[in-house]
């Protein structure tokens, strides 16, 4: 916490309230920090690391609040962000969810930089290590000239349904408005997103994708944990992450794609559907603890009006 006089204090607890959505809870935590917090310059460098699964930054001087939760909790991040930004307790503040995880706390309070350990593993591995999903029995042939994909089993589930493995979805929109979908095994690396680092390879990443057989679009969104849309026509990169996305990762992606826009898709799988010209309300399972207005808005998204065309998928 940075106090109104500019002094900074640090405190950790095993159990406690971190959302601070009511004024009484907010005042209690601030009082505890003032009373029991340790001055930041007395905290051991690198003290705040992966052992701590959630964190809060309160800047009383500049009226900024950020918080992030344990990755395995049941709170929906977009709903939390909305609740922070609209809570009466934070009226007049720049309040929100810390999408960059613990690294974002150091952006709010730079004096905490030496205390907070940066995330590891944000660098992109070689393209040869792309975690494409296995082809097993779900595929037969891919005819790029006819733009047809033939599968052995149910078109809706081919290549996606797997009891033991969640997946990530990467979609490429080509300059001629073809839509190509690719399945990746979800990776876990200290709770940071593992899709975005591949973009640091720039356009060679797209070349690698287009050299592979595409997948049918997944029939339901519960198995898809994160997504990325590379729009070569509009020069836009859109993503919805499963982990935290530090600012330095976004900066690295921006440097690899000069002149492109980078946007987070706040409506997740539903927005992935919409920006690729598709609409499938039945594929949208409702996450727990979501705000009603968020749920209504994502189900009301309008598909992209361009004449986007995915491959014709046939059953063998």
């Amino acid at each position: 916490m940075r106090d109104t006089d500019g002094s900074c204090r640090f405190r950790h607890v095993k159990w406690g309230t971190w959302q601070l959505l009511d004024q009484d809870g907010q005042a209690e935590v601030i009082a505890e920090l003032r009373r029991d917090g340790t001055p930041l310059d007395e905290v051991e460098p690198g003290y705040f690391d992966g052992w701590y699964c959630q964190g809060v930054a309160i800047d009383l001087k500049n009226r900024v609040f950020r918080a992030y939760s344990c990755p395995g909790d049941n709170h929906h991040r977009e709903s939390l962000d909305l609740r922070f930004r609209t809570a009466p307790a934070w009226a007049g503040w720049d309040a929100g969810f810390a999408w960059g995880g613990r690294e974002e706390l150091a952006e709010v309070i730079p004096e905490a930089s030496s205390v907070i350990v940066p995330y590891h593993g944000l660098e992109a591995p070689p393209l040869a290590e792309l975690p494409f999903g296995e082809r097993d029995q779900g595929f037969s042939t891919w005819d790029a000239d006819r733009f047809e994909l033939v599968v052995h089993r149910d078109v809706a589930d081919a290549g996606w349904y797997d009891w033991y493995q969640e997946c990530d979805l990467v979609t490429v929109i080509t300059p001629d408005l073809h839509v190509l979908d690719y399945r990746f095994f979800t990776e876990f690396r200290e709770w940071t997103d593992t899709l975005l680092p591949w973009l640091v390879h720039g356009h060679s990443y797209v070349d690698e994708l287009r050299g592979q057989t595409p997948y049918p679009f997944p029939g339901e969104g519960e198995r898809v944990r994160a997504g990325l849309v590379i729009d070569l026509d509009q020069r836009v990169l859109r993503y919805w992450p499963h982990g935290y996305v530090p600012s330095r990762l976004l900066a690295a992606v921006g440097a690899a794609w000069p002149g492109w826009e980078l946007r987070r898709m706040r409506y997740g799988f539903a927005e992935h559907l919409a920006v690729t010209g598709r609409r499938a309300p039945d594929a949208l399972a409702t996450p727990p603890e979501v705000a009603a207005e968020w749920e209504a808005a994502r189900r009301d998204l309008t598909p992209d009006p361009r004449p986007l065309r995915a491959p014709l998928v046939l059953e063998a």
Side-chain angles (χ1 to χ4, degrees):
M1 180 183 77
R2 178 191 282 121
D3 214 328
T4 52
D5 62 0
S7 62
C8 300
R9 307 185 76 81
F10 176 90
R11 186 166 185 248
H12 68 89
V13 293
K14 184 174 179 60
W15 309 108
T17 300
W18 64 274
Q19 294 185 32
L20 309 183
L21 292 169
D22 65 273
Q23 291 179 331
D24 290 341
Q26 179 190 102
E28 180 182 350
V29 168
I30 291 172
E32 288 179 358
L33 277 161
R34 285 172 169 163
R35 182 182 65 247
D36 302 324
T38 302
L40 262 181
D41 56 9
E42 297 178 14
V43 180
E44 180 183 351
Y47 190 87
F48 190 57
D49 59 12
W51 285 100
Y52 300 94
C53 69
Q54 60 187 16
V56 172
I58 306 173
D59 183 351
L60 292 168
K61 184 175 183 179
N62 298 308
R63 297 172 68 84
V64 180
F65 171 78
R66 290 289 186 276
Y68 71 94
S69 57
C70 290
D73 67 20
N74 292 323
H75 298 290
H76 187 260
R77 294 175 180 178
E78 293 289 354
S79 286
L80 276 178
D81 185 65
L82 180 61
R83 292 172 69 188
F84 288 145
R85 296 185 184 281
T86 58
W90 298 113
W93 283 60
D94 175 4
F97 189 83
W99 299 102
R102 65 174 182 262
E103 289 194 19
E104 188 166 338
L105 305 188
E107 295 175 11
V108 175
I109 302 177
E111 292 88 342
S113 297
S114 64
V115 175
I116 296 174
V117 177
Y119 290 109
H120 301 291
L122 298 185
E123 302 78 15
L127 287 173
E129 298 178 13
L130 280 168
F132 287 107
E134 297 177 3
R135 297 301 183 176
D136 56 42
Q137 298 299 315
F139 288 81
S140 177
T141 58
W142 163 239
D143 190 326
D145 294 329
R146 295 170 64 95
F147 207 50
E148 292 179 352
L149 181 67
V150 180
V151 298
H152 285 297
R153 59 187 181 193
D154 182 10
V155 170
D157 291 331
W160 288 91
Y161 192 77
D162 188 329
W163 283 106
Y164 305 105
Q165 180 68 60
E166 293 178 314
C167 300
D168 297 339
L169 170 63
V170 178
T171 301
V172 175
I173 299 176
T174 69
D176 55 1
L177 303 184
H178 285 176
V179 178
L180 301 168
D181 301 302
Y182 302 91
R183 177 198 189 203
F184 288 82
F185 285 138
T186 297
E187 296 184 305
F188 294 92
R189 190 183 303 137
E190 204 193 357
W191 304 115
T192 57
D193 188 71
T194 54
L195 265 183
L196 281 173
W198 295 105
L199 287 172
V200 177
H201 287 291
H203 287 267
S204 58
Y205 175 52
V206 179
D207 296 337
E208 185 71 22
L209 291 175
R210 297 190 66 181
Q212 301 287 329
T213 298
Y215 286 76
F217 194 78
E220 46 89 6
E222 290 183 337
R223 293 288 167 187
V224 185
R225 188 171 172 84
L228 172 67
V229 178
I230 304 172
D231 191 334
L232 298 171
D233 176 53
Q234 295 185 337
R235 295 170 63 85
V236 177
L237 302 170
R238 297 179 175 89
Y239 69 95
W240 52 287
H242 62 71
Y244 302 120
V245 184
S247 295
R248 60 192 173 99
L249 175 55
L250 295 177
V253 171
W257 296 80
W260 282 59
E261 291 185 63
L262 180 61
R263 304 176 187 170
R264 180 172 58 84
M265 293 188 282
R266 65 173 306 194
Y267 297 108
F269 184 70
E271 192 165 351
H272 199 128
L273 283 166
V275 302
T276 55
R278 292 174 276 211
R279 184 176 179 83
D282 294 340
L284 304 180
T286 300
E289 300 189 29
V290 299
E293 55 267 48
W294 180 90
E295 175 69 2
R298 76 171 187 140
R299 290 184 178 273
D300 197 39
L301 292 172
T302 301
D304 190 294
R306 290 174 293 174
L308 302 173
R309 185 165 70 94
L312 178 63
V313 181
L314 306 172
E315 292 185 19

